[in-house]
Amino acid sequence: MKSTDARPEPRSGTLPASATLDAFASSKLAGLERRQLRRSIVETDGRDAVQVEQHGQSLLNFCSNDYLGLSRHPEVIAAAQAATARHGTGSGASRLVTGGHPLLFELETRLARFKGAEDCIVFGSGYLANLAITPALLGSGDLILIDELAHACLFAGAHLSRARGETFPHNDLSDLSAKLAERRPEARRAMILTDGVFSMDGDLAPLPGLQVLADRHDAWLLVDDAHGVGVVAGGRGSAHAFTPPVQAPLQMGTLSKALGSYGGYLCASHAVCELLRTRARPLVFTTAPAPASIAAALKALDLIESEPALCERPTRLARRFCAAAGLPEPVSPIVPVILGSATAALDASAQLRAEGFLVTAIRPPTVPRGTARLRITFSAAHDEADIDRLAGLVAAWAPQHEAAE
């Protein structure tokens, strides 16, 4: 009698599965290489908040999201060290299994107060937060409208929700209004997803208009303020760049940029946060953030709340740079220099590297095809003389930037 669980014999002459997998990967890599879209991760040793070393070369880092230099701030480092000594190096499990260390609860209380919300829930990263929020609130039969330039994790969360998803042109309130008028009546629930500060362009979302449309059509507005908190509106974030501030019901952010740590969060009502504590898979099935990261974020929040001049400095330096380079005035510490092709962006990045500046080329699919660029970011730790020297080099590309726009 033959065994019912017998596995089929491999076909004679065929390659083992590992060989076909490697062949597939090699073919894909070769294709990316031909289009100059292959990435590599370079070993980088940070000497301080803005100086790094790669391949033995000292470079000034103008592409980091550590906008305030707080990842190297002595008080932030000391807070992380003290938390590690008291609470250990890791959390050990999901908070729903073992609970959470006191610092996590303290940070959630602080962030809720800082953002003007009832409650807050902290996740392992900003990406995980956006994978959690939308799928926990929407499903099949619901509607998502998302800005075409929103961050990839907003799109990923929208896809996981199984709701009907559509994009609207960047910051186009008229198109969004028309889509809501046509499609909202067919959907049970609806959400509008947007960055507060767009990570590749540095511009602001028109949050007052978005909130008006959201209220008119009973659509819940989710704002990803990862690049706004700590550096826009005296550190309060993109919602406070308007008068009166916009109080979106779903305010997401990250601890890994201006706060110089690691993790993500959602500020919302108590009911919404309680629902996510029960239903958000990236929270339920993921180990909680390490105590050191939470303590670092708490100390960084202290500094942001007490030093508004520190929070204003990155955008002020960005404006100094743009004035010298002949670029439009920015509203955030993010300045795009759009060069078009991946080749042009890579060449420009190499030229700046030769002059001692680290400015990574940003290529599709991170940005739309034909808009490869240098994404230059400014930190409170940067020196004006270095900014002026960088502006002198970038000024040669400013006419191309304006033509591309």
Side-chain angles (χ1 to χ4, degrees), residues 122-148:
V122 169
F123 295 87
S125 73
Y127 202 105
L128 285 174
N130 275 331
L131 291 185
I133 298 163
T134 307
L137 299 176
L138 297 187
S140 179
D142 297 329
L143 173 68
I144 294 170
L145 292 169
I146 181 169
D147 190 291
E148 63 181 352

Side-chain angles (χ1 to χ4, degrees), residues 117-120 268-277:
E118 284 184 0
D119 202 353
C120 173
S269 69
H270 181 64
V272 168
C273 288
E274 281 291 282
L275 176 62
L276 264 70
R277 289 183 178 105

Side-chain angles (χ1 to χ4, degrees), residues 39-377:
R39 271 75 167 171
S40 60
I41 300 175
V42 180
E43 183 176 319
T44 304
D45 183 13
R47 297 179 177 179
D48 57 30
V50 296
Q51 292 189 11
V52 300
E53 185 174 299
Q54 290 184 349
H55 301 306
Q57 181 184 8
S58 181
L59 298 166
L60 288 167
N61 188 351
F62 275 88
C63 54
S64 170
N65 296 325
D66 187 9
Y67 298 117
L68 302 177
L70 294 184
S71 69
R72 295 282 178 159
H73 194 287
E75 293 182 33
V76 175
I77 293 172
Q81 291 171 332
T84 299
R86 179 174 179 181
H87 299 286
T89 58
S91 297
S94 164
R95 294 170 74 186
L96 293 181
V97 175
T98 58
H101 55 79
L103 294 173
L104 268 169
F105 292 92
E106 182 182 351
L107 179 61
E108 288 174 340
T109 299
R110 288 281 305 280
L111 284 169
R113 185 168 68 241
F114 184 67
K115 298 293 286 184
E118 284 184 0
D119 202 353
C120 173
I121 181 169
V122 169
F123 295 87
S125 73
Y127 202 105
L128 285 174
N130 275 331
L131 291 185
I133 298 163
T134 307
L137 299 176
L138 297 187
S140 179
D142 297 329
L143 173 68
I144 294 170
L145 292 169
I146 181 169
D147 190 291
E148 63 181 352
L149 297 186
H151 194 273
C153 58
L154 284 171
F155 278 93
H159 177 74
L160 287 174
S161 75
R162 301 189 305 279
R164 175 181 179 178
E166 293 193 23
T167 63
F168 58 91
H170 180 50
N171 283 348
D172 189 332
L173 293 176
S174 295
D175 185 87
L176 174 61
S177 178
K179 283 185 167 68
L180 282 166
E182 179 182 354
R183 297 173 177 53
R184 178 63 183 96
E186 305 168 358
R188 297 178 307 169
R189 296 176 290 269
M191 285 179 64
I192 300 169
L193 277 54
T194 184
D195 291 12
V197 176
F198 286 86
S199 61
M200 291 295 121
D201 292 274
D203 57 337
L204 300 180
L207 294 182
L210 289 172
Q211 188 61 65
V212 167
L213 290 176
D215 290 339
R216 183 182 301 162
H217 295 278
D218 186 24
W220 307 326
L221 178 60
L222 168 59
V223 179
D224 180 336
D225 205 28
H227 295 271
V229 168
V231 292
V232 172
R236 306 298 296 183
S238 58
H240 290 263
F242 305 93
T243 304
V246 177
Q247 196 64 30
L250 300 165
Q251 303 178 67
M252 174 269 167
T254 176
L255 313 178
S256 62
K257 296 176 174 60
L259 275 72
S261 184
Y262 196 75
Y265 64 86
L266 171 70
C267 289
S269 69
H270 181 64
V272 168
C273 288
E274 281 291 282
L275 176 62
L276 264 70
R277 289 183 178 105
T278 300
R279 296 298 301 275
R281 296 174 71 85
L283 177 83
V284 175
F285 298 107
T286 303
T287 300
S293 297
I294 300 305
L298 279 164
K299 178 52 66 175
L301 200 55
D302 287 342
L303 296 169
I304 287 170
E305 291 185 303
S306 63
E307 299 184 30
L310 174 70
C311 300
E312 293 165 1
R313 180 171 166 82
T315 302
R316 181 165 60 81
L317 294 177
R319 288 173 178 157
R320 177 189 181 107
F321 167 82
C322 288
L327 296 168
E329 183 173 282
V331 294
S332 76
I334 302 167
V335 175
V337 182
I338 300 174
L339 299 172
S341 70
T343 300
L346 288 167
D347 288 347
S349 177
Q351 291 178 48
L352 293 180
R353 175 182 287 273
E355 298 291 337
F357 294 101
L358 178 61
V359 183
T360 303
I362 306 296
R363 297 161 284 164
T366 306
V367 293
R369 187 180 300 276
T371 68
R373 67 193 65 188
L374 299 176
R375 175 186 179 268
I376 304 175
T377 57

